[in-house]
Amino acid sequence: MKKVVYLFLLFTPIFAQSQQSDFLHLNKIIARLEANQIALGTWCSALHPSNAVGMIDCNGYPTFEESQNKAMLDFILIDMEHQPFDISMLRNYLLALNSKREVAAKGNLQPNIATLVRIPADGNQPVHAMIKQVLDIGVHGVVVPHVQNAQEAKKVISACRYVQTKSSKYSYPQGTRGASPWLASYLWGLSLPDYVARADVWPLNPDGDIMAILMIEDIAGVENIKEILKVPGIGAIIFGPYDFSFYAGCPGETTNKTVVQSWQIIKKACDEANVPLIGFANENNIDEKLKENYKMILAGHDVRNNGTFPQVLKAVQKTY
């Protein structure tokens, strides 16, 4: 018996090292990005449980290996900026996305579909409470519209993080998120301590599974993009051409020269900072987006224009 215990203690560091090397992100977007693969998503507005079941079914319950080597629906961006900010409805939707069949087929706790929520508050408004609400019910990331400067970006990152200990390697920006992770940990399939350890912003914390995504939709945001991107913890950027066109004096003209040039400024800055810029794709421009090396792509919508998604999916599949 003593020999068995001795051998266990002797090889424990090896086991621990092996487990660390096999670390799996539960946020599938992050897993895709770290593997230099494309994460493909769609907009979501209809938060009925039946729609959640349909989202799961569309991926066909692949094995883990299949889920890593085929193009599929990797994330949904739930719009609660221009749709009702209804936390109870969102909670029920997320519970319906929690598929036992998917877990059994895949053999691990990584959902095939990561969930992002766009909140209604702009970057210059109070965002803390809304971010806390959506993270506490288990989403994998938040999208904040109209971020105009680095101070607003830092405020978003802080709201996504728990208070960091003095010994933390990733103490800045300091977190301000209140701690009540019981429902989020349940949906993620983790104990409370394990959820807390993973519920940090990536890539600031390499083991984090929360994405803080900022929308640049104003002239000030374009002018300040380089300073914004210096804030640690930004997971991705979205440029909003439609909103921006209003501030640029050409309402609705998303192909206007000023809008296109501003989009190019954002893309160049994101590429230089190694921060993904989310691209909007359809069957007509997907090849262009792939050539421009977009690693996060939004295509279609759950209740309108979703006929574009299969064509985009087919094009992305060629990259695997």
Side-chain angles (χ1 to χ4, degrees):
M1 181 65 181
K2 290 182 179 180
K3 185 179 291 186
V4 173
V5 173
Y6 173 77
L7 288 172
F8 175 77
L9 293 174
L10 179 65
F11 287 105
T12 294
I14 298 176
F15 296 151
Q17 184 178 2
S18 175
Q19 289 175 351
Q20 182 65 29
S21 65
D22 293 335
F23 180 85
L24 177 67
H25 278 289
L26 298 187
N27 185 328
K28 193 181 176 190
I29 302 170
I30 297 173
R32 288 282 206 203
L33 293 175
E34 289 193 347
N36 197 32
Q37 294 178 329
I38 295 168
L40 183 59
T42 194
W43 287 94
C44 178
S45 296
L47 298 185
H48 192 280
S50 295
N51 189 39
V53 175
M55 289 287 187
I56 295 292
D57 280 342
C58 78
N59 280 332
Y61 300 94
T63 65
F64 177 63
E65 289 74 17
E66 290 171 339
S67 75
Q68 301 302 296
N69 296 297
K70 63 179 287 190
M72 57 194 298
L73 180 59
D74 300 308
F75 70 94
I76 53 176
L77 202 167
I78 300 168
D79 182 21
M80 301 187 81
E81 178 189 12
H82 298 294
Q83 300 292 329
F85 188 70
D86 189 326
I87 292 296
S88 294
M89 185 179 293
L90 177 63
R91 179 187 59 196
N92 293 340
Y93 186 82
L94 294 177
L95 287 167
L97 276 175
N98 195 21
S99 168
K100 293 181 179 179
R101 180 180 170 187
E102 179 185 82
V103 171
K106 199 167 184 181
N108 60 51
L109 292 173
Q110 183 195 76
N112 284 325
I113 302 174
T115 50
L116 308 174
V117 171
R118 180 165 71 170
I119 64 172
D122 294 342
N124 64 355
Q125 299 169 345
V127 299
H128 181 274
M130 292 179 183
I131 290 176
K132 177 171 59 176
Q133 286 274 291
V134 297
L135 290 181
D136 278 356
I137 56 174
V139 304
H140 298 101
V142 295
V143 179
V144 179
H146 293 284
V147 174
Q148 300 184 55
N149 54 54
Q151 183 179 1
E152 293 174 7
K154 177 179 174 293
K155 178 178 65 175
V156 172
I157 303 301
S158 294
C160 290
R161 309 188 72 199
Y162 290 120
V163 178
Q164 304 298 299
T165 63
K166 293 181 179 179
S167 61
S168 171
K169 294 186 294 184
Y170 319 109
S171 59
Y172 179 84
Q174 180 57 263
T176 58
R177 178 183 172 187
S180 181
W182 64 273
L183 181 55
S185 65
Y186 171 79
L187 284 176
W188 284 29
L190 302 174
S191 66
L192 293 182
D194 285 344
Y195 172 81
V196 171
R198 284 179 172 267
D200 200 5
V201 290
W202 176 91
L204 170 59
N205 183 339
D207 292 342
D209 271 320
I210 298 291
M211 291 191 75
I213 299 175
L214 312 180
M215 295 195 72
I216 307 300
E217 305 180 88
D218 314 273
I219 293 175
V222 175
E223 293 174 342
N224 295 326
I225 185 60
K226 290 186 177 181
E227 292 303 312
I228 290 172
L229 290 169
K230 290 179 182 178
V231 177
I234 298 172
I237 295 289
I238 300 177
F239 177 68
Y242 189 71
D243 267 82
F244 184 83
S245 69
F246 284 78
Y247 292 92
C250 49
E253 299 177 21
T254 57
T255 58
N256 181 278
K257 182 179 179 180
T258 301
V259 178
V260 173
Q261 288 178 341
S262 297
W263 199 327
Q264 292 170 343
I265 290 171
I266 298 297
K267 182 65 165 65
K268 182 180 179 182
C270 286
D271 288 346
E272 291 175 350
N274 197 30
V275 174
L277 176 64
I278 299 178
F280 306 115
N282 55 47
E283 65 272 23
N284 298 318
N285 70 1
I286 179 58
D287 290 335
E288 178 184 350
K289 297 299 179 184
L290 294 175
K291 289 179 182 178
E292 293 173 352
N293 200 33
Y294 279 88
K295 290 300 182 181
M296 289 184 68
I297 292 175
L298 272 169
H301 191 280
D302 62 340
V303 294
R304 60 183 177 87
N305 300 329
N306 212 31
T308 66
F309 192 85
Q311 296 300 322
V312 172
L313 186 68
K314 184 177 180 180
V316 172
Q317 182 62 54
K318 296 177 183 178
T319 68
Y320 282 79

